[in-house]
Amino acid sequence: MTIVAALTLILWIVSGVIAVLNLALLPRLRKVSPTVDAPMVSVIVPARNEERSLGASLRALLDQDYSSFEVILVDDQSTDDTRKIAGALAARDERLRPVDGEPLPAGWLGKPWAHHQGVRHSRGDLLLFVDADVRLEPGTLSSAVAEIQQSTAGLLAVLPRVEMKGVWEHLLMPQLALAAFSFMPSWLANHTRWSRMAIGGGAGILVRRSVYDAAGGHERLRDAVIDDVSLARRCAAVAPFRLVVADDFVSVRMYHGLGEIVAGFTKNFYYVLGANLISAALILIGSAALHLAPYVWSAELIVALSTGRPPAVSSILGAIALATILLTRALIYGRFRYGMVNALLGHLPMVFVWSWIAIRSTWIVGVRKRLGWRGRSYDAGIKRFGS
C-alpha cells in the first residue's frame, strides 16, 4: 500500500507542476489596435435552436472594431426563433449573412456539416469558427488576427472564460480548466509540431484558409464527435499551432444547470475515454482511485492521530497527495476567479458527479450505441473522436 500511495503522490505532484508551468508559460491574448489593411475574416457560426443566446452573441460579433469581416450564420434547420433573430440583425447589418442549412447528408454529424456549409459561403482568407453561445468582447477579432499574423501560426485556438451560475455549474464546469491546465502540458502545444498536443474548442478557432484546405477541411471531420479538437490536430499537422489564454476577451456559458451539463457531456465523454469499452473501464477505475484514495488515506491519518496510534506511511503520503490536489485547485481557481471555497471543498463531489457522467456516457454511447444531440439521433457505432 505504501508503494501505491507513493505513486499516487508522485502523479499528483506531476499534475501540480504541469499546472504551474501552464499558468506561467501559456501566453495571453494581447489587446491591439485594429489595422486598416487587415486580411478578410469569415466568422462561421453554426446554430441549431440557439434562440436563448444567439442575439447577444451576434451583436457582440458585429460590434467588433475589425475593418474587414463577415459573419456567416448557418441555421441548421432550427425549430425555434434562431432564423428569425439572425434575419432581424442581418436586415440592419450587411456583414451578417444568414444561411439556411441544407438537410443533413448520410455519414455527417450536424455541427461539422454546418461548418462545412459556412465555409462554402465564405470569402475570407482567415476563418473563425465560433459557437452560437460565445460572447466576444470589443477588440477580440483585431487581437486574434494580430496574434496569428505575428506568430506565423496556421491555427490559433483560444481558452475562454467559462461563465457559471448556480451550484451545479460552479461545481462541475471548472473541470474544463482543470483538464486543460493540470492534466495536460498545454504550454508545449506552442513549442512542438506533434499534432496530438493541439487542442481547440467552440470558443474560437482562427485558421488560415490555406491551412484549413490543406488539412482537408470539415469533410475529413464529417463524423467527428469532438470536431473542434480534431480540426486543431489536423491543422497542426500541416502548420504551426498556437494556443492562448483569452479569458479577458472571450466568454461562454456552455450549459445552464445540471441537466444540460449531463446531456452535453454524455454525448462525447465516451470518445474522450477512447471509444472502447475496455479502455473506458480502465480509465474510469484508475481515475476514480487516483482521486478518491487520497481522501481515504487522509481519513486514516486523522483517525490514527486522534487515537494516539502511529500513522501508516501510506496515510502520510496520501495526506500530502490530498494537500497537493487542493493546492493545485486553489492555484487554477484563483487564476480564473472560480471561488476558493469551491476549490477546497468541491473536489470530492465533483469527482463523484463527473464519474457518473462518464459511466452514463459509456453505457448510452458505448454499450447501447445511442448518440443524440439537438433533437437528432446518430449511430454511435460508426462515429469517432475525429483525430
Side-chain angles (χ1 to χ4, degrees), residues 153-157 189-193 197-200 232 236 239-243:
L155 180 145
L156 173 74
N190 294 333
H191 304 281
T192 179
R193 288 303 306 275
M197 290 296 299
I199 61 175
F241 169 85
R242 187 156 181 82
L243 178 68

Side-chain angles (χ1 to χ4, degrees), residues 295-314:
Y295 282 91
V296 176
W297 285 318
S298 297
E300 291 177 350
L301 177 63
I302 293 173
V303 171
L305 294 176
S306 63
T307 58
R309 292 185 290 105
V313 175
S314 59

Side-chain angles (χ1 to χ4, degrees), residues 252-276:
V252 56
R253 187 180 177 192
M254 292 179 62
Y255 299 116
H256 294 231
L258 178 62
E260 290 190 10
I261 294 173
V262 172
F265 287 101
T266 291
K267 82 177 187 300
N268 57 26
F269 216 118
Y270 176 65
Y271 297 94
V272 175
L273 297 175
N276 178 281

Side-chain angles (χ1 to χ4, degrees), residues 224-244:
V225 176
I226 311 178
D227 64 293
D228 36 29
V229 174
S230 304
L231 176 63
R233 289 179 175 179
R234 286 198 176 276
C235 290
V238 174
F241 169 85
R242 187 156 181 82
L243 178 68
V244 297

